[in-house]
Amino acid sequence: MQMKSQILFEPKSFKNLFLSFLGFFVAFFGWFAFPPLLPLTLKTDLNLTKADIANSNILGFTSTLIVRVFSGYLCEKYGPRKTMAWLLLAGSIPTVFTGLVNNSAGLIAIRFFVGILGGTFVPCQAWITAFYDSNIVGTANAIAAGVVFYVMPALVSSIHISHSWRIAFLFPFGLIVSTAIIILVFGDDGPAGEWKPKIIVLTSTLESNVELLDRQSELDSNHSDSDDKQSLPDNLIEYFRFAIKPTTLLVAIPYLCTFGSELAIEGMISVLYLSQSQKTGLYLTEQQAGNYAAVFGLMNIVTRPLGGYICDFLSVQNKKLFIILLGLLEGLLCIIIGSFHSLEFTTLFIIMTITGIILEQANGATFSLVSHFERNGIVSGIVGAAGNLGGIIFSLFFRYDSNFMSILSMGIIIFVLHLLLIIIPLTNK
């Protein structure tokens, strides 16, 4: 069997790395094209209330949660390349109809179905992991997501300057469909060729990786005819049993906190900056607020890869401790922000930026730890879904409470959950 690459720019591996983050990039283009337009453009055209905006965010995250749960299973069964292409094509359909929306109910419905695109994060991660050895996969995974978060906010914030938002949504539709076709034609299932869904070979050379593998699965395999092969889950019951194992929760809970808070913040940060600037007499325009808000996502090009890159030099135990440390710091910063309602805009922007640097590093670090699971497609799906579950939970805070109180509550939860992670071992005993 062909070995995974230990070199980031090895031609075949890098081609599929590029296709994986290209797929997620265009998906994110359509998925997160709404938030920068919500504070004024969509709010005015569709007569939206604060509750309408929050509900559209929540429903968009909910559909992504559902898709991410099942896309992990699809990655294991059919391969991440095909799963990526299928999700892109499915999500392109509601995207092309976005311009026909005329009211809040239509916006909520269209964002629910456009949320299918958010599920592409799972095949993106699983696809990269199929090509890169564990010493480089943390960096490779983080680059794929980091590029997306860097470019997308800047592109979205410029769409509504010179084009009607209704017509503008035709652009991501074209990108999504063409990218899906390119992936199907030019992508590879894995280093060895066509995807083999029936078995996973457990390599004995992973050293620290083996320590993180599910021990019960290894014990079960001792009763089979082969000691180095492990059947994939045959049904969804086993899939969800795997989801609640302690080692799985060790990566799912941090991502629920860090990526969940990032989703919630990106869904409301333009509104927060716009309203806070008005309170402090700065009076930003929607475009200016969007530009400041874009920085939160723009940093991902450095911060998310940095989290993965740092972890590539750490042992598995130290990766766990690093993730916990970042989570505790994010929780503290959110508590500080939420405790002071009258911050000057510049001060708020600086603290929010520091918070973003920390939580985005944590996102990259978490998927560096995910790479140590042999059932990577399943774990990627579970962890990705956990991130969206966090987005839903934290968005509900913003739905029913003020922005600052919501950030305070979010910070307390993030801090407490990361404290609890300390007691979860790296193996299931």
Side-chain angles (χ1 to χ4, degrees):
M1 184 174 180
Q2 187 175 343
M3 295 296 293
K4 295 182 181 182
S5 174
Q6 298 187 34
I7 303 173
L8 183 61
F9 294 102
E10 188 276 323
K12 182 176 180 179
S13 297
F14 188 75
K15 177 191 72 173
N16 288 280
L17 167 64
F18 174 76
L19 290 177
S20 69
F21 74 64
L22 177 64
F24 185 45
F25 167 71
V26 299
F28 203 88
F29 194 108
W31 184 36
F32 253 69
F34 296 90
L37 306 176
L38 287 172
L40 288 178
T41 303
L42 293 180
K43 183 178 181 180
T44 301
D45 287 358
L46 303 179
N47 297 316
L48 302 178
T49 64
K50 178 184 176 181
D52 293 330
I53 293 174
N55 289 339
S56 71
N57 287 334
I58 293 167
L59 267 293
F61 297 151
T62 300
S63 59
T64 301
L65 166 64
I66 297 170
V67 173
R68 286 189 176 188
V69 169
F70 291 100
S71 60
Y73 187 80
L74 293 175
C75 284
E76 298 285 5
K77 188 172 180 64
Y78 301 105
R81 179 181 67 92
K82 292 177 181 177
T83 303
M84 170 72 80
W86 294 342
L87 292 179
L88 287 174
L89 293 174
S92 70
I93 297 173
T95 301
V96 76
F97 290 109
T98 300
L100 301 179
V101 170
N102 289 311
N103 52 45
S104 60
L107 176 67
I108 292 171
I110 209 72
R111 290 199 69 185
F112 177 83
F113 290 105
V114 168
I116 293 171
L117 294 170
T120 57
F121 180 77
V122 175
C124 173
Q125 300 295 308
W127 197 1
I128 296 167
T129 305
F131 281 90
Y132 286 96
D133 192 69
S134 61
N135 75 313
I136 196 68
V137 73
T139 304
N141 279 347
I143 287 175
V147 169
V148 173
F149 283 98
Y150 167 68
V151 179
M152 181 57 202
L155 289 175
V156 172
S157 66
S158 66
I159 287 176
H160 64 288
I161 295 176
S162 57
H163 302 279
S164 164
W165 66 269
R166 297 181 184 276
I167 298 174
F169 276 93
L170 295 176
F171 183 56
F173 167 75
L175 283 178
I176 292 166
V177 173
S178 59
T179 300
I181 295 172
I182 291 172
I183 286 172
L184 288 173
V185 174
F186 297 104
D188 303 295
D189 285 332
E194 187 176 354
W195 186 259
K196 300 290 192 298
K198 294 183 180 180
I199 60 173
I200 292 177
V201 178
L202 298 178
T203 62
S204 60
T205 60
L206 292 181
E207 299 180 348
S208 63
N209 296 22
V210 176
E211 296 298 317
L212 193 56
L213 293 177
D214 176 41
R215 295 303 184 186
Q216 186 60 48
S217 296
E218 291 184 19
L219 291 173
D220 292 343
S221 68
N222 290 333
H223 299 288
S224 64
D225 294 333
S226 172
D227 290 333
D228 61 350
K229 292 184 178 180
Q230 182 177 9
S231 297
L232 289 174
D234 294 324
N235 53 62
L236 292 177
I237 294 178
E238 184 177 350
Y239 180 96
F240 288 108
R241 284 176 57 194
F242 189 82
I244 62 173
K245 290 183 180 295
T247 49
T248 308
L249 294 177
L250 188 60
V251 285
I253 291 176
Y255 206 66
L256 180 149
C257 294
T258 57
F259 188 68
S261 61
E262 181 174 4
L263 286 177
I265 290 171
E266 288 184 342
M268 52 64 65
I269 192 168
S270 290
V271 177
L272 175 65
Y273 284 169
L274 194 65
S275 62
Q276 195 67 11
S277 71
Q278 293 171 350
K279 290 179 182 178
T280 56
L282 188 59
Y283 296 103
L284 297 177
T285 65
E286 182 183 45
Q287 179 61 50
Q288 290 171 329
N291 291 340
Y292 280 107
V295 173
F296 199 85
L298 291 171
M299 295 184 300
N300 271 282
I301 189 61
V302 175
T303 53
R304 186 156 183 154
L306 180 61
Y309 182 76
I310 292 173
C311 281
D312 284 335
F313 295 95
L314 301 178
S315 66
V316 175
Q317 177 65 38
N318 287 336
K319 287 182 180 182
K320 171 190 171 182
L321 296 176
F322 181 57
I323 291 169
I324 291 174
L325 174 63
L326 292 174
L328 292 175
L329 288 174
E330 182 201 351
L332 283 174
L333 285 170
C334 287
I335 291 172
I336 291 172
I337 294 171
S339 299
F340 298 95
H341 297 197
S342 302
L343 291 173
E344 289 293 327
F345 175 80
T346 302
T347 304
L348 174 63
F349 175 74
I350 291 173
I351 301 177
M352 288 292 290
T353 300
I354 296 172
T355 304
I357 291 172
I358 292 172
L359 72 86
E360 289 159 12
Q361 282 189 74
N363 289 336
T366 299
F367 267 90
S368 176
L369 195 56
V370 167
S371 69
H372 291 277
F373 286 82
E374 195 65 28
R375 291 180 171 182
N376 184 264
I378 293 176
V379 178
S380 293
I382 293 168
V383 174
N388 270 81
L389 177 60
I392 294 169
I393 294 171
F394 296 142
S395 292
L396 284 170
F397 293 172
F398 291 102
R399 166 69 171 81
Y400 292 105
D401 210 338
S402 68
N403 290 332
F404 284 98
M405 284 302 299
S406 299
I407 294 174
L408 174 61
S409 301
M410 191 167 64
I412 294 172
I413 291 175
I414 292 170
F415 189 86
V416 171
L417 286 178
H418 278 83
L419 281 179
L420 294 176
L421 288 177
I422 297 174
I423 66 175
I424 299 181
L426 288 171
T427 58
N428 291 325
K429 300 291 186 180

